[in-house]
């Protein structure tokens, strides 16, 4: 039995209190972000440390907001890897920014569901419009706009975008060839993100070919051609090719145009995974790397990596939206409505697996407006310039060697003394207040330095360079 009777329920809905707490929370976030440099990039935590600070049972009595705010400092922050830290050079960036944070808060404040156009028209129309803006901003084919045959939709992650593409392609292939999924083949690089293989398994494809790469970690078109020919000879059905524009390991770039031409001969679906590098395409000088996109059926890039918008915000474009909607649309009676029946509106629930969807476009819209296109371009160009300068310095260092090219803002290098020295170099850097990622490609160790945190300044990169110099001795 509760000690509180129904008419004594504390009013967690008090808007005056919400105002006061909300102002305090914004202050807390600003203090957190402003104070990151005084903390380690990754807090040292042993398994179970965080849970040990939590009470064994949920509180029976209401707690004040101050208690929760206090626990952010006592329990949460000491249990984090600080992805927004200016000395974060690990993985890829997971950028956030003040306008994105506020957009996220505003979306939560409205608490709407955008599954159908009619369940909140602004959610759908702003999303379509902002993604059409991005078609212009990134130089992808004009026909991908929602005003044309294609269209864009925001998904939770690039993995979801790729899984969705795999499901639609499987259905297209089945209708075209009559082949069962177990007989269908997916082709991608042995450097491709794990989401391609995982998505193929989830979608029920029988075979995944992880193709060998060249010295720059890109798949030569001839390797794709040979693999397809071998599978056709075995009686299998090639169904899906995924080209990477910027692999996760080293930002390698597969030949999209040649892949597209080969795929077209066999009626294969071409998907392009530019999860990280897609953001760079707002700067015209990088667009040669995505040459051939007009041959692609689908494409994904993450605004939540390198476009100043916090997770989750993954863009998925299709060249033709009909197969997508044909494959995913199932309309139960309780979701029927006049607007949908006329076919005049987009119902985004037919564009991905989940039904419910949040207002993700708001933060992206606010980021683009707050930075301005020129501001976003300057940000990307700044990161790339710092990465190129670091790469040139590594290249001239007697004990370091470039491991892979730096087309964007990822620098990959190793120690001339080999794998053990390279692993020791990464460990030594991570013990000195910066955070880099040790990795392996082609059987060799290397160090990944990814530049792109919102709060990383040139001085942080200079300090990193000095630490690399000391550690490489
Ligand atoms: C990061 C990354 C992904 C996965 O992105 P999520 O949004 O975390 O699913 C997929 N592909 C590439 C090339 C990536 O770099």
């Amino acid at each position: 039995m509760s000690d509180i009777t129904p008419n004594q329920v504390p009013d967690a809905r008090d808007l005056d209190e919400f105002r006061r707490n909300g102002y305090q929370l914004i202050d807390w976030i600003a203090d957190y972000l402003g104070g990151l440099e005084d903390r380690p990039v990754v807090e040292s935590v042993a398994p179970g440390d965080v849970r040990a600070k939590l009470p064994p049972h949920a509180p029976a009595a209401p707690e004040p907001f101050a208690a929760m705010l206090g626990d952010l400092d006592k329990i949460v922050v000491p249990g984090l890897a600080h992805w927004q830290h200016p000395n974060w050079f690990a993985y890829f960036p997971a950028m956030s920014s003040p306008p994105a944070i506020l957009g996220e808060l505003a979306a939560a404040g409205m608490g709407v569901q955008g599954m159908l156009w009619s369940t909140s028209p602004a959610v759908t129309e702003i999303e379509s419009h902002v993604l059409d803006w991005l078609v212009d901003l990134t130089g992808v084919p004009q026909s991908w706009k929602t005003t044309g045959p294609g269209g864009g939709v925001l998904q939770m992650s690039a993995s979801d975008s790729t899984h969705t593409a795999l499901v639609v392609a499987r259905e297209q292939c089945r209708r075209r060839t009559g082949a069962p999924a177990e007989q269908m083949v997916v082709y991608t690089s042995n450097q491709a993100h794990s989401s391609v293989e995982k998505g193929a398994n989830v979608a029920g494809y029988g075979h995944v070919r992880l193709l060998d790469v060249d010295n720059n970690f890109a798949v030569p078109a001839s390797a794709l051609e040979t693999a397809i020919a071998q599978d056709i000879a075995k009686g299998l059905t090639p169904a899906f090719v995924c080209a990477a524009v910027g692999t996760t390991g080293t930002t390698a770039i597969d030949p999209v145009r040649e892949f597209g031409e080969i795929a077209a001969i066999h009626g294969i679906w071409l998907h392009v995974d530019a999860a990280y590098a897609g953001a760079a395409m707002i700067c015209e000088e990088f667009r040669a790397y995505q040459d051939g996109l007009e041959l692609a059926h689908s494409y994904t890039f993450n605004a939540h990596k390198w476009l100043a918008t916090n997770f989750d915000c993954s863009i998925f474009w299709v060249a033709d939206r009909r197969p997508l909607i044909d494959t995913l649309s199932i309309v139960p009676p309780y979701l029927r409505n006049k607007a949908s029946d006329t076919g005049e509106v987009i119902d985004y629930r037919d564009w991905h697996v989940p039904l419910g969807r949040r207002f993700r476009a708001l933060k992206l819209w606010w980021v683009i407006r707050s930075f301005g296109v020129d501001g976003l371009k300057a940000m990307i160009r700044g990161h790339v310039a710092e990465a190129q300068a670091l790469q040139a310095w590594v290249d001239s260092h007697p004990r370091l060697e470039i491991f892979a090219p730096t087309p964007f803002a990822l620098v990959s290098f190793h120690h001339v003394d080999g794998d053990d020295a390279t692993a020791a170099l990464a460990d030594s850097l991570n013990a000195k207040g910066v955070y880099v990622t040790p990795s392996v490609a082609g059987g060799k160790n290397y160090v990944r330095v990814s530049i792109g945190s919102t709060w990383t300044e040139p001085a942080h990169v200079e300090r990193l360079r000095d630490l690399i110099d000391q550690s490489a001795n």
Side-chain angles (χ1 to χ4, degrees):
M1 279 291 288
S2 170
D3 292 338
I4 302 177
T5 59
N7 58 4
Q8 290 176 317
V9 173
D11 203 350
R13 300 168 307 174
D14 184 323
L15 288 177
D16 289 326
E17 201 177 317
F18 170 69
R19 253 179 242 282
R20 283 190 300 275
N21 297 343
Y23 298 146
Q24 276 189 48
L25 180 62
I26 295 291
D27 283 341
W28 184 91
I29 296 170
D31 289 343
Y32 169 76
L33 292 171
L36 279 176
E37 212 157 346
D38 301 329
R39 304 199 69 97
V41 189
V42 180
E43 304 284 345
S44 78
V45 190
D49 279 0
V50 178
R51 286 193 71 165
K53 293 183 190 167
L54 300 174
H57 303 290
E63 291 188 59
F65 185 69
M68 293 168 238
L69 204 56
D71 282 349
L72 283 181
D73 292 318
K74 285 194 226 96
I75 299 175
V76 180
V77 169
L80 297 179
H82 301 294
W83 285 71
Q84 306 307 320
H85 200 292
N87 291 325
W88 181 276
F89 301 104
Y91 308 109
F92 279 138
M95 291 184 89
S96 178
S97 64
I101 297 165
L102 294 175
E104 189 78 279
L105 183 60
M110 289 176 274
V112 294
Q113 276 284 351
M115 55 199 179
L116 301 172
W117 176 86
S118 59
T119 61
S120 270
V123 174
T124 297
E125 293 195 15
I126 290 170
E127 183 161 329
S128 299
H129 200 76
V130 169
L131 295 187
D132 283 0
W133 275 0
L134 273 175
V135 166
D136 291 331
L137 293 185
T138 58
V140 300
Q142 286 288 316
S143 57
W144 293 6
K145 286 186 176 173
T146 50
T147 50
V153 61
L154 291 174
Q155 306 248 8
M156 181 172 67
S157 72
S159 305
D160 286 331
S161 301
T162 299
H163 295 183
T164 305
L166 280 156
V167 169
V168 180
R170 185 199 63 203
E171 195 53 23
Q172 289 297 104
C173 183
R174 191 186 61 75
R175 290 183 193 186
R176 187 170 50 80
T177 66
E182 305 80 66
Q183 204 175 299
M184 294 182 194
V185 193
V186 170
Y187 303 86
T188 194
S189 164
N190 68 16
Q191 295 296 304
H193 190 266
S194 55
S195 55
V196 182
E197 194 173 353
K198 185 172 179 178
N201 292 339
V202 172
Y205 283 87
H207 309 269
V208 179
R209 305 277 180 249
L210 301 178
L211 304 171
D212 287 342
V213 294
D214 62 19
N215 290 339
N216 286 331
F217 300 102
V219 177
S222 58
L224 176 64
E225 232 167 356
T226 308
I228 290 174
Q230 285 171 350
D231 285 330
I232 292 175
K234 285 186 210 155
L236 297 175
T237 308
F240 187 94
V241 172
C242 177
V245 173
T247 57
T248 311
T250 63
T251 63
I253 298 150
D254 293 327
V256 176
R257 178 171 295 287
E258 287 170 279
F259 272 30
E261 285 165 357
I262 296 166
I265 296 170
H266 303 283
I268 304 173
W269 186 283
L270 175 66
H271 176 65
V272 175
D273 179 359
Y276 161 74
M281 302 304 162
I282 61 170
C283 305
E284 296 80 357
E285 63 270 31
F286 299 107
R287 293 194 194 152
Y289 295 127
Q290 64 178 13
D291 174 56
L293 279 192
E294 71 277 12
L295 301 172
H297 298 84
S298 54
Y299 174 97
T300 184
F301 101 78
N302 284 340
H304 65 234
K305 272 183 174 154
W306 197 14
L307 209 60
T309 308
N310 61 292
F311 192 85
D312 51 346
C313 197
S314 178
I315 292 145
F316 181 53
W317 273 308
V318 287
D320 181 356
R321 62 178 171 270
R322 280 168 315 180
L324 174 69
I325 296 168
D326 279 359
T327 306
L328 297 181
S329 181
I330 296 170
V331 187
Y334 51 85
L335 291 181
R336 294 204 60 157
N337 66 90
K338 243 197 233 142
S340 299
D341 287 346
T342 63
E344 274 173 51
V345 299
I346 284 178
D347 289 326
Y348 274 130
R349 61 122 210 237
D350 293 334
W351 293 52
H352 48 42
V353 174
L355 170 64
R357 62 195 324 268
R358 44 199 225 87
F359 195 177
R360 294 190 182 99
L362 189 66
K363 59 187 171 183
L364 181 57
W365 187 36
W366 283 14
V367 164
I368 294 171
R369 297 174 67 185
S370 303
F371 282 78
V373 176
D374 291 346
L376 289 172
K377 285 181 175 180
M379 175 190 87
I380 296 276
R381 286 181 176 138
H383 295 152
V384 174
E386 282 161 34
Q388 310 269 336
L390 181 66
Q391 200 242 19
W393 175 83
V394 165
D395 202 19
S396 67
H397 196 285
R399 286 176 306 283
L400 301 172
E401 237 169 40
I402 294 298
F403 184 73
T406 297
F408 307 108
L410 179 77
V411 186
S412 305
F413 57 92
H414 56 176
H415 195 289
V416 289
D417 291 347
D419 279 349
D420 291 346
T422 302
L425 170 59
D427 286 348
S428 148
L429 288 169
N430 289 346
K432 288 177 179 158
V434 295
Y435 198 42
V436 302
T437 307
S439 192
V440 182
K444 283 193 186 136
N445 286 353
Y446 68 105
V447 182
R448 286 171 87 266
V449 170
S450 158
I451 296 174
S453 166
T454 306
W455 285 276
T456 300
E457 302 286 346
H460 297 105
V461 183
E462 273 163 42
R463 182 167 157 266
L464 170 69
R465 194 191 56 202
D466 293 345
L467 291 175
I468 296 173
D469 191 35
Q470 290 165 24
S471 304
N473 272 313

